[in-house]
Amino acid sequence: MKKQAYLLFPLLTTLLVLLFVGGVVCGPVSIPLQSVADILLGDESLSPAWRNIVFQNRIPQTVTALLAGASLSVGGLLLQTLFRNPLAGPSILGISDGANLGVAAVMLYFGGSLSEIDLPVSGYLAVVLAAFAGALCVLGLILFFSVKVRNNVMLLIIGIMIGYLASSFISLLNYYASTDKVHAFVMWGLGSFSSVSLRQLPYFSICSLAGLFLAILLIKPLNALLLGEMYAANLGIRVKRVRLQILLCTGLLTASTTAFCGPISFIGLAVPHIARLLLGSSNHKMLLPVTLLAGACMALLCNFLMVLPGTLNMLPLNAVTPVLGAPVIMYVIFNRKNIRYFD
C-alpha cells in the first residue's frame, strides 16, 4: 500500500498540473499556447481581449474547479466513513438541497439573479448568501438531531427526509414563479465553475481551504471510526464530538461549493471510491490526500470536457459529471464484496 501511495502522489500531482494547464490553455476561444504563456509572463503587447479571457475567466474557472472537486470529494469521504455507507455523498444529508432552497427563494420569490449587482435581495451576492443560509439551516437541523439521535443510520434517514422537504418547497416556488425566473434557476442548477469571478475567488478559496484543513485534522478519529464507534470510544475518541466536527466540516465544504458553483452531482460520491480502488486501503492518512488530489483532477477533467471544440458554447457541468461518475458507482454496486471500505 505504501508503494502504491508513493507512486500515486507524484502521478496524481503531475496529472493535476497537466489538467490545470489544459484548463488555462483550452477554451471556447482559441488562444495559441505561446500567447497564453506570454500573457502569464506579463506580456502586455498581446490582445487585451485575450488577456482578459485568461486572467478574468480561465484562471478563476480552473482554480474554482480544483477547489470544488477537492472539497466535494473530501466531503463525500467523510460522510462515507461516518455512516459506514459506501453510497453516502455530500447531498445525502440535505445540505445541498438546503442551499438550493435558499437560492430558489431569492431567484424565484424575491426576484434575484446571478448578476454582479450587490443589492439586498438581488444580485450575485444575495444568491451566494442565500445558498449559505439555506445550507447552514439544514446543517443546524442535522446537528440538532445528531445530539438527540445516536444511531447514524437514523441520522442518515433524517437527512434524506430533510432533503425531500427542501425539494418540495423548491417545487412549490417553481410552480408559482414566472417562466423567466424558473429558467434562470434551472440554469443555475446545471452547475458551473465559471460563475466565480476573480473578485469572488478569494472568498471561495478561504471557505474551501478552511474546510479541507479541518478535514486533515480529523484523520486520526476517522481511522478510529473505521473500527466502529465502540472501539473508537475505547481508544479515547469522543465519538459525539467527532461526529459533530465531521458534520460541520462536511457542511462547510458542501455549502461553500454549492453556493458558489451550484449543485454538482457525482463527484463527491464517486471520487472516494476511485481513491480506494487506486490505493487499495481505507487508511485515511493516505486515503484523504489521495481523495483530495483525485477529486481535483476529476473536476478539472470535467471542466476540460465541457469545452465544445470549434464553438463558443460549453456543455453544462452536470451533463458531464454523470458520464464520469455513474460508471464508477455502477462498478462499486456490482463489486462491493471485492472493495475494502472499512478495514
Side-chain angles (χ1 to χ4, degrees):
M1 189 269 288
K2 288 185 177 180
K3 291 183 179 179
Q4 285 179 280
Y6 292 143
L7 289 174
L8 275 176
F9 284 119
L11 287 175
L12 287 174
T13 303
T14 302
L15 180 61
L16 180 69
V17 173
L18 291 175
L19 288 171
F20 188 93
V21 172
V24 175
V25 172
C26 300
V29 178
S30 178
I31 303 176
L33 175 60
Q34 184 59 48
S35 297
V36 173
D38 291 338
I39 289 171
L40 294 176
L41 292 173
D43 188 348
E44 298 184 358
S45 63
L46 296 170
S47 169
W50 283 2
R51 290 167 49 209
N52 186 65
I53 289 172
V54 171
F55 285 115
Q56 300 297 327
N57 181 267
R58 291 187 184 177
I59 290 179
Q61 182 174 336
T62 308
V63 174
T64 298
L66 188 155
L67 293 174
S71 298
L72 292 175
S73 302
V74 170
L77 176 63
L78 295 181
L79 291 180
Q80 289 173 12
T81 301
L82 175 64
F83 294 108
R84 299 180 64 83
N85 187 336
L87 297 180
S91 61
I92 199 68
L93 291 177
I95 298 172
S96 295
D97 292 309
N100 293 348
L101 179 57
V103 173
V106 170
M107 297 183 70
L108 300 176
Y109 184 77
F110 292 107
S113 66
L114 291 178
S115 64
E116 294 285 342
I117 305 173
D118 295 340
L119 299 178
V121 291
S122 66
Y124 189 89
L125 178 62
V127 173
V128 172
L129 292 178
F132 267 115
L136 291 176
C137 286
V138 171
L139 181 60
L141 287 173
I142 295 298
L143 292 176
F144 171 77
F145 285 113
S146 71
V147 176
K148 303 292 183 180
V149 179
R150 295 185 178 182
N151 190 304
N152 282 337
V153 176
M154 293 301 297
L155 185 61
L156 191 65
I157 294 173
I158 290 172
I160 294 173
M161 293 302 103
I162 292 174
Y164 278 128
L165 285 173
S167 298
S168 177
F169 285 120
I170 292 173
S171 298
L172 289 173
L173 289 171
N174 271 307
Y175 181 79
Y176 288 106
S178 61
T179 304
D180 58 331
K181 292 179 181 178
V182 172
H183 179 265
F185 178 71
V186 170
M187 294 304 295
W188 176 84
L190 293 175
S192 176
F193 294 134
S194 61
S195 57
V196 181
S197 67
L198 188 63
R199 183 169 61 90
Q200 296 145 2
L201 185 60
Y203 303 104
F204 176 59
S205 301
I206 290 172
C207 294
S208 298
L209 293 175
L212 293 172
F213 178 73
L214 291 175
I216 292 173
L217 296 180
L218 291 171
I219 287 177
K220 183 177 179 180
L222 284 169
N223 279 335
L225 287 176
L226 290 176
L227 303 173
E229 291 189 0
M230 292 184 62
Y231 189 87
N234 290 333
L235 289 177
I237 301 296
R238 296 185 179 181
V239 176
K240 185 179 293 186
R241 177 190 290 182
V242 169
R243 184 163 59 169
L244 290 174
Q245 291 171 342
I246 291 175
L247 291 174
L248 282 171
C249 183
T250 305
L252 176 60
L253 292 170
T254 305
S256 58
T257 302
T258 304
F260 283 92
C261 305
I264 301 173
S265 61
F266 279 102
I267 290 181
L269 183 60
V271 172
H273 297 297
I274 296 175
R276 289 189 187 94
L277 291 170
L278 292 173
L279 194 59
S281 172
S282 290
N283 184 349
H284 286 75
K285 187 176 180 180
M286 297 292 184
L287 180 59
L288 194 145
V290 170
T291 300
L292 190 155
L293 290 173
C297 290
M298 173 74 86
L300 287 171
L301 179 60
C302 291
N303 185 58
F304 185 79
L305 295 176
M306 288 166 58
V307 179
L308 293 175
T311 70
L312 296 178
N313 299 321
M314 295 184 69
L315 291 171
L317 178 58
N318 281 329
V320 176
T321 53
V323 176
L324 300 178
V328 175
I329 302 305
M330 293 173 65
Y331 177 84
V332 167
I333 291 173
F334 288 112
N335 295 273
R336 290 182 65 178
K337 294 182 180 179
N338 300 325
I339 302 175
R340 300 169 67 184
Y341 290 112
F342 313 110
D343 57 351

